Amino acid sequence: MHTLTCKNIVRKMGDDFSLGPINLEIHAGTITAVIGNNGAGKTTFFQAMSGDYPGEGETKVHGHNVHSIAGKAALSYVPQTFPEVLPFRLQKLRDLHANHDDTWRDDRFQAYARQFDLPLRKRISKLSVGMQRKAVLALQLSRDTSLLLLDEPFAGLDMEGQTQLEKILISKMEDDPDGSIVFATHIADEVQRLADYIVIMKNGKTQEPMEKDILAQQFKRIWLAKSVTGVEEAPGIREVEGVPPQILTSDAEATEKWLAERDVQIMKRERLSLHESLPLLLRDEETNEV
């Protein structure tokens, strides 16, 4: 079952940038990290998924168009910036949700307000950047929805706030096994701690979702007993350095098969951390786009 389906999403941003076309399906019960360098199009993509940015294509949440009442009621969205809420006091925004939002859970909001130590009667514009983000997170997390779209949700949070949010997101998934979370980030630690799937975004396009655990198995550093002619052309090879060589591969099984066919002895192998493998993916020139 899919919580979120994006079909032929396209957004034009003047003459310099365009998003898509993007086709993407997010499975229920999963957390997906959208990874990309600055300018890759993550924020525009999240705006498109949430229905905030008009354009071509269709986004559905549990089968409902994102622009429909049912679609809007099924998702919560925390953008990277939120100037529209800054003039308001948090208490006023809470009152608006409580009176007009059928998905609102006031018990949940009060718990988040206490946990984040949020001042309810102070204008959000007067809060620090981190507290502003906590305020918006508290509002959106208090809506009883099956899909969370979070654009750089940890940005600006202190260490305690990051830990609190991480626990909240994990708890939400435990309480709602049919729900999904999609978050944008460029921080490997966030991906390691939370994500089930990774979507790489480059130049306004997304690649196929990859299971984080499978990715960890594919990327390895291998130490060889001797130099091998043509090893740079072996399948999966990303880097070769040193004598005897160390190699980095994104397809360990294919690389090791190639080496075995040439009777090359492997002295040592180890998996790459996401800190090492994600930059390799982001600078990859292949066009495995959807």
Side-chain angles (χ1 to χ4, degrees):
M1 182 173 65
H2 298 124
T3 305
L4 175 71
T5 304
C6 299
K7 185 176 181 181
N8 295 324
I9 298 297
V10 175
R11 298 293 185 273
K12 300 294 185 182
M13 305 290 289
D15 296 329
D16 298 328
F17 180 81
S18 63
L19 180 80
I22 291 176
N23 293 283
L24 183 67
E25 293 177 333
I26 300 297
H27 293 280
T30 62
I31 300 179
T32 300
V34 179
I35 311 296
N37 291 323
N38 293 336
K42 299 188 299 297
T43 291
T44 304
F45 181 38
F46 273 73
Q47 291 170 339
M49 286 191 291
S50 71
D52 277 2
Y53 201 104
E56 301 174 23
E58 184 178 49
T59 299
K60 290 186 176 181
V61 184
H62 282 304
H64 302 290
N65 189 289
V66 72
H67 297 288
S68 69
I69 294 175
K72 288 292 186 184
L75 73 88
S76 297
Y77 170 47
V78 177
Q80 190 172 27
T81 59
F82 24 80
E84 66 279 359
V85 306
L86 296 182
F88 294 93
R89 292 177 172 84
L90 187 54
Q91 182 67 48
K92 178 64 174 179
L93 295 174
R94 174 265 163 204
D95 294 344
L96 288 171
H97 277 284
N99 292 326
H100 302 287
D101 187 350
D102 291 338
T103 70
W104 185 252
R105 288 276 304 276
D106 201 59
D107 58 334
R108 193 180 291 177
F109 174 77
Q110 298 300 334
Y112 292 146
R114 289 191 298 270
Q115 186 174 359
F116 290 147
D117 196 22
L118 293 170
L120 300 184
R121 302 193 180 279
K122 194 172 184 179
R123 293 189 188 277
I124 293 178
S125 61
K126 301 298 183 181
L127 303 178
S128 69
V129 172
M131 292 297 283
Q132 289 178 6
R133 185 164 299 279
K134 288 179 181 179
V136 176
L137 283 165
L139 289 167
Q140 291 301 310
L141 289 168
S142 298
R143 302 181 67 241
D144 193 11
T145 60
S146 59
L147 175 65
L148 280 178
L149 299 177
L150 309 175
D151 189 358
E152 301 281 1
F154 294 91
L157 297 183
D158 55 24
M159 293 181 65
E160 181 182 17
Q162 292 175 20
T163 300
Q164 289 171 330
L165 178 57
E166 181 181 328
K167 290 180 178 179
I168 288 170
L169 297 181
I170 292 173
S171 177
K172 176 176 174 57
M173 294 303 298
E174 291 173 347
D175 294 340
D176 183 9
D178 291 329
S180 298
I181 298 172
V182 184
F183 72 100
T185 185
H186 56 272
I187 306 299
D189 284 343
E190 296 171 8
V191 180
Q192 182 64 59
R193 292 194 300 266
L194 288 171
D196 302 303
Y197 289 87
I198 297 171
V199 172
I200 299 295
M201 189 161 199
K202 293 186 294 184
N203 300 321
K205 295 180 173 61
T206 58
Q207 297 182 354
E208 290 281 0
M210 298 174 286
E211 287 191 48
K212 182 185 67 180
D213 293 341
I214 292 178
L215 178 66
Q217 296 171 11
Q218 292 175 335
F219 276 81
K220 288 184 180 179
R221 177 180 285 106
I222 299 174
W223 285 260
L224 305 182
K226 63 178 182 180
S227 298
V228 183
T229 302
V231 69
E232 296 85 356
E233 305 302 321
I237 293 297
R238 298 302 184 99
E239 294 180 5
V240 179
E241 57 184 13
V243 179
Q246 297 178 29
I247 59 177
L248 295 183
T249 175
S250 60
D251 190 344
E253 182 177 359
T255 300
E256 292 195 27
K257 180 180 178 182
W258 187 93
L259 294 170
E261 290 171 349
R262 289 155 179 79
D263 295 322
V264 179
Q265 182 182 2
I266 294 175
M267 302 300 293
K268 180 182 176 182
R269 58 175 68 81
E270 68 178 18
R271 293 182 180 181
L272 297 189
S273 68
L274 286 178
H275 284 281
E276 297 171 292
S277 60
L278 289 180
L280 292 174
L281 283 170
L282 289 173
R283 72 170 185 248
D284 189 1
E285 296 299 327
E286 295 177 2
T287 57
N288 180 30
E289 296 167 347
V290 295

